[in-house]
Structures are given as structure tokens and as C-alpha cells.
Amino acid sequence: MPKPKVFATHSLFDAARKILKESCDVEYWAKPERPPRGEVLKRLKDKEGLICLLTEKINEELLRAAPKLRIAANVAVGFDNIDVAACTKRGVAATNTPGVLDETTADFAWTLLMAVARRLGEAEALARSGNWKNWDLDQLVGTDVWGKTLGIVGFGRIGRAVARRAGGFQMKVIYTDAVRTAEATEKELKAEFRDMNALLAESDFISVHVPLLPETRGLFDADKFSRMKATAFLINTSRGPVVDEAALVAALKAKKIAGAGLDVYENEPIIHPGLKRANVVLAPHIASASLETRTKMACIAAENVVAHFKGQRPPNILNPEVLKT
């Protein structure tokens, strides 16, 4: 029996390629830049499987171009790049890689939080510039993290991981979510529930951990920023469109908030020019970018594909109803 043909829009790590090798005939995109849309559609004409990144849109256009496609495996936790309903309609399994990047992303949320609070970007630039002349009492003074109030918007796995780390800084942790978490979890993490307006008013740092949904797109808008403390910082490692960047820039210019730490952007890879300011720490979507975590993500995607072609249930299927058809 011939092996099912699969197109991977990234070369992947060796561990993932090894998983795929035994069961699939995989064509890898090897160039450093992302594959153009036309190239993706062209290569999928005879493919039964797709392994992709969140930069590829899995929609009706792609599905029409890939009549033999049986599975689309996203190397990401979020799947706002996948039209799951369209996949289901065409009998295509859609999968993601949940759970594996929770701790790594929580680490990076804290990296951004600490960096913007202590003005690390400015300090690092000064240290490299050759213009640092001497130590001074009020040079690049930032703000303490220890003992402050941390507001977490979205209290899923990553939000809770961020909360656990706050204990080491003796912070007060408050959170908001569409569904209040279990009382036992609140006690374990010493976290208190708030509605959104109360969280905005009380928090010294706000860390965002919500998925991109119609109701969360533009969640942080001018009204939200107006309700934050003028000394507060916004941290976003979730999805860029959750924040209205024009409103954020306006809030920063008007000094309605103290700063921000951002890993994701409204129109990636474009970054609003108004965000390139001293009190904003910018990163190029690297919250899960540890070698260990990214390798695990690729392996999970590979395992989803292999399981599907073996007639088994993919471990992380988003539309299990396609298995019944």
C-alpha cells in the first residue's frame, strides 16, 4: 500500500520527521520564508494530509484546492487560522497541540512583565550603546513587581500557570473569565475572581490569556484602557487582535497606562509604529519558542497525522464528528 501523501509547510524538527517517516510520504517546505498561498494550494492538490503553522489559513479556498485532504494538523494550540466547520463539512479532521506550551508561555509572560516593569529594553540598549557614563540614583528607575496586584484575563491552563508564578513575588492575584474556576483552584492559587471592570481598576499588571474568538476580538479597547490605572502595564501573549492597537497607542501617548509587553500583534508580522516606544517591550511571537516546547508541538502534530492514517482517533482532534462519517 502506498503511504499517504502529506505536505508540511515547515521543515519541522528531526524528532517529528522521524515519527512521520514510517507511515507517511511527506513533502517539506524547506525555504526560510513562509510558503506563498499559491504554492500551498498547488502542493495540496494531491495531498491527503497537511501539517501547518498558524500562518496558514485553512478555509474553503484551501479545502477546494485539496480534494483528497483528510487531515489538517496545526502546530499550535490556538486554531483561529482553521475554519473547523468547513473542515467538518468536507470530512477533514482538524487537530491542534494543546497543553504542551502552557508552562513555556507562562514563563514568557513573566519575562515580558519583568522586562517592562524594570525597563530592561532601555537599559540593555544603553549598556550596548557605549553611552553609559556612570551609575546614578535615579537612572532608569522602574517599578517593583513584588507585592503588587496581578490581574489575569482568561484563567485557563496558561492563565493559571502565570498565577502560580506570582506566588513567588508575594503578589495579590485576581482574575476574570467567562466561567469562574473551581473554589479549590482559587484556594490553591490564592486567586480571587473579579468582573472585568473591577480587575481593570485594581491591577498593577494585566496579563491576557484568552483565545481569539468573535467576543474577544478587540477586547482591550479605548474603554478598557481608560479604566486601568495610569501606573498599570498590559502584557499580551495570547493573540494580537485581542488588543485594539490604535487604542493602545493612544492610551500610551496620553499616559493612561504606564506601558506594555507584547508578543503578538493585530496584523502580524506588521507592528504598529506607535508601539515602538521606550515603555513597550516587543517580541516577535516567541512565547512558546523553547527548543523543548516547539519540538514537542511538532511531534504532537505528527502523532495526530499518523494516528489518523492508521484509522485511530487523533489525540487532539477538534472535530471528532468527522470520524463518525
Side-chain angles (χ1 to χ4, degrees), residues 89-219:
K89 182 180 177 181
R90 291 181 177 269
V92 176
T95 67
N96 67 337
T97 62
V100 66
L101 52 65
D102 299 347
E103 301 300 332
T104 304
T105 301
D107 280 351
F108 198 73
W110 273 94
T111 300
L112 291 175
L113 189 156
M114 296 289 290
V116 72
R118 298 301 301 274
R119 301 176 66 179
L120 182 59
E122 297 170 81
E124 204 263 355
L126 177 60
R128 287 182 181 273
S129 70
N131 296 322
W132 183 40
K133 304 303 181 183
N134 55 268
W135 183 92
D136 206 346
L137 182 65
D138 59 355
Q139 185 176 64
L140 288 171
V141 291
T143 187
D144 279 336
V145 173
W146 190 92
K148 295 294 182 66
T149 297
L150 172 63
I152 300 175
V153 179
F155 212 55
R157 292 187 303 265
I158 297 173
R160 293 194 297 270
V162 169
R164 282 196 297 275
R165 286 155 174 76
F169 291 87
Q170 295 294 295
M171 297 183 87
K172 178 180 181 179
V173 177
I174 60 178
Y175 78 95
T176 193
D177 202 306
V179 179
R180 184 169 179 171
T181 196
E183 184 178 352
T185 302
E186 289 184 345
K187 287 183 178 179
E188 175 195 351
L189 300 176
K190 297 180 180 178
E192 301 175 14
F193 180 79
R194 295 286 191 276
D195 65 29
M196 177 64 88
N197 287 337
L199 182 140
L200 294 170
E202 293 180 40
S203 299
D204 298 302
F205 299 90
I206 296 176
S207 193
V208 185
H209 303 284
V210 296
L212 180 59
L213 302 168
E215 56 267 33
T216 61
R217 185 176 291 273
L219 176 66

Side-chain angles (χ1 to χ4, degrees), residues 52-59 74 76-85 94-96 210-214 216-217 237-242 264-266 268 285 318:
C52 64
L53 307 187
L54 53 82
T55 48
E56 278 74 59
K57 298 294 183 184
I58 313 305
N59 55 16
N74 217 28
V77 173
F79 49 92
D80 46 278
N81 60 313
I82 300 179
D83 185 335
V84 178
T95 67
N96 67 337
V210 296
L212 180 59
L213 302 168
T216 61
R217 185 176 291 273
T237 55
S238 61
R239 283 289 186 265
V242 168
V264 289
Y265 307 93
E266 198 168 5
E268 291 183 19
H285 205 143
L318 298 167

Side-chain angles (χ1 to χ4, degrees), residues 38-54:
E39 190 68 29
V40 173
L41 301 183
K42 176 183 174 182
R43 298 202 184 199
L44 282 175
K45 285 183 179 180
D46 64 340
K47 301 300 190 297
E48 297 164 82
L50 169 65
I51 299 174
C52 64
L53 307 187
L54 53 82

